[in-house]
Amino acid sequence: MKLGFLTACLPSLSLDDIAGWAAAEGYQTLEVAVWPSTGGRDFEASHLPVATFSEADEDATRALLRRTGLEISSLAYYENNLHPDPATREAIRTHLRHVIDVAARLGVESVGTFIGRDPGLSVVENLREGEKILPELVGYAADRGVKIVIENCVMEGWHPDGYPGNLAYSPELWEWMFGLGFYLNWDPSHLTWIGVDPLTTIEPYIDRIVHTQAKDVELFPAKRDRFGLFGTVHKGNNPWEMGWWRYRVPGLGEVDWRHVVDRFHELGYTGTVSVEHEDPVWSGTEDKVKQGLRIAHRTLRPLIGEQTATERDIPAP
């Protein structure tokens, strides 16, 4: 098992700068964000130019990994693969193929994305649509030795009423997507706020958990008593505002990381535990984001295991 983080939390830094800092702080892997450089949402980041990835880019990336001793655990492009607009859906699929191609060239095991949803259709109607169009993407990746991992994020902000916008939020739906050939990027924070005990979901699906995102969640039950599970109706300009919970870095929320990582050890999980930093308390500046990543590292590193001598001896940039 190795400890890493998703680079999307540092969108203004280059991959070189992020890798140098990560290695000096004792991280072992990077889950590299590869949205298009024209991405519109504030959490999108483009740390590898996958659409135009040249031999020079490949050589530079391999040299960076050798220099820092890091590995790339996965390439991250989390978008709506069931987007209702045909042109947008095809643009997403085209970029996802570029991501898969670069993962294959770099020997990266997995690519992360979402199932997504057409909010104008029912869940069952979306499942039938997914069965028609998603297997082609799974096959494209498999032909190149790459697994597509789906994060179980609810993506409630993609639905006008705050309902699930990514049809991978429950174990019932995981079983559906596993039948199409997808794997799981397991994130306990989302399970926690929708009322699923994360610990109960590890052993039954351990063979499909290829990657793990380490994110915590802080709950405010008194506010939930007013808003209900789906959160406040009046969200202002923030479609992600739920009113009764917020994401935190590991160790500052409800997730029992001691038992989560112990269960991973017990079941022989050897993938990456990748910190996904979306903590509003430790955000706003580069220094605060980095401090949040340090808090996550201090929480998880003792549970995952001690650094090797090689890792400790990697020089700071």
Side-chain angles (χ1 to χ4, degrees):
M1 208 182 317
K2 295 183 178 179
L3 180 59
F5 66 86
L6 174 59
T7 65
C9 61
L10 293 167
S12 63
L13 297 187
S14 70
L15 186 59
D16 284 52
D17 289 340
I18 293 172
W21 182 86
E25 294 291 327
Y27 278 99
Q28 300 162 290
T29 71
L30 294 176
E31 182 183 2
V32 178
V34 290
W35 274 265
S37 58
T38 57
R41 295 199 299 272
D42 59 2
F43 62 80
E44 293 175 348
S46 182
H47 287 132
L48 283 176
V50 294
T52 59
F53 202 67
S54 65
E55 288 187 13
D57 292 323
E58 181 176 346
D59 291 343
T61 304
R62 291 184 182 278
L64 174 64
L65 298 176
R66 287 194 300 270
R67 186 167 67 250
T68 59
L70 297 174
E71 298 176 9
I72 296 177
S73 64
S74 189
L75 298 184
Y77 175 54
Y78 286 90
E79 269 293 356
N80 186 354
N81 283 281
L82 294 178
H83 197 285
D85 177 65
T88 302
R89 182 188 291 185
E90 186 53 37
I92 291 168
R93 289 169 66 85
T94 297
H95 190 75
L96 184 56
R97 292 188 191 99
H98 291 318
V99 178
I100 293 166
D101 290 340
V102 171
R105 288 172 62 178
L106 292 174
V108 176
E109 179 183 16
S110 68
V111 162
T113 191
F114 290 134
I115 297 293
R117 177 182 184 168
D118 180 342
L121 301 178
S122 71
V123 171
V124 172
E125 289 169 332
N126 271 278
L127 298 183
R128 300 294 84 81
E129 178 69 6
E131 289 163 4
K132 289 189 291 186
I133 69 168
L134 296 175
E136 184 273 334
L137 288 171
V138 174
Y140 186 90
D143 288 345
R144 290 154 180 79
V146 175
K147 296 174 180 176
I148 299 181
V149 295
I150 304 296
E151 183 191 348
N152 56 286
C153 183
V154 182
M155 293 305 288
E156 67 286 347
W158 278 352
H159 194 287
D161 295 317
Y163 302 153
N166 172 41
L167 299 183
Y169 56 86
S170 70
E172 178 187 16
L173 289 165
W174 300 353
E175 293 166 4
W176 167 80
M177 73 182 192
F178 294 158
L180 300 182
F182 290 106
Y183 292 82
L184 183 62
N185 193 2
W186 184 83
D187 185 329
S189 66
H190 309 297
L191 294 167
T192 299
W193 78 259
I194 67 172
V196 177
D197 180 355
L199 279 173
T200 68
T201 70
I202 298 175
E203 185 169 4
Y205 305 107
I206 190 65
D207 291 342
R208 307 299 291 192
I209 300 175
V210 171
H211 200 270
T212 295
Q213 282 191 330
K215 187 162 74 266
D216 218 324
V217 62
E218 184 178 12
L219 308 181
F220 304 97
K223 293 183 179 180
R224 183 178 56 207
D225 288 342
R226 180 184 180 208
F227 299 130
L229 179 68
F230 298 109
T232 176
V233 172
H234 302 291
K235 299 177 184 293
N237 295 321
N238 181 9
W240 308 101
E241 175 58 54
M242 296 297 280
W244 67 272
W245 59 265
R246 62 183 179 178
Y247 292 128
R248 303 303 307 271
V249 293
L252 298 180
E254 307 289 331
V255 177
D256 184 349
W257 293 104
R258 185 168 62 91
H259 283 102
V260 165
V261 177
D262 181 63
R263 189 63 48 82
F264 278 151
H265 281 302
E266 177 185 2
L267 297 172
Y269 175 74
T270 58
T272 285
V273 176
S274 178
V275 177
E276 184 183 18
H277 183 344
E278 295 180 345
D279 187 325
V281 176
W282 294 104
S283 294
T285 68
E286 179 185 326
D287 287 344
K288 290 182 73 173
V289 169
K290 287 180 174 178
Q291 182 59 23
L293 290 170
R294 291 187 182 102
I295 293 169
H297 187 279
R298 289 199 298 267
T299 299
L300 296 171
R301 177 81 261 180
L303 304 175
I304 290 174
E306 292 300 320
Q307 292 173 280
T308 66
T310 300
E311 291 165 359
R312 288 194 300 269
D313 292 342
I314 294 173

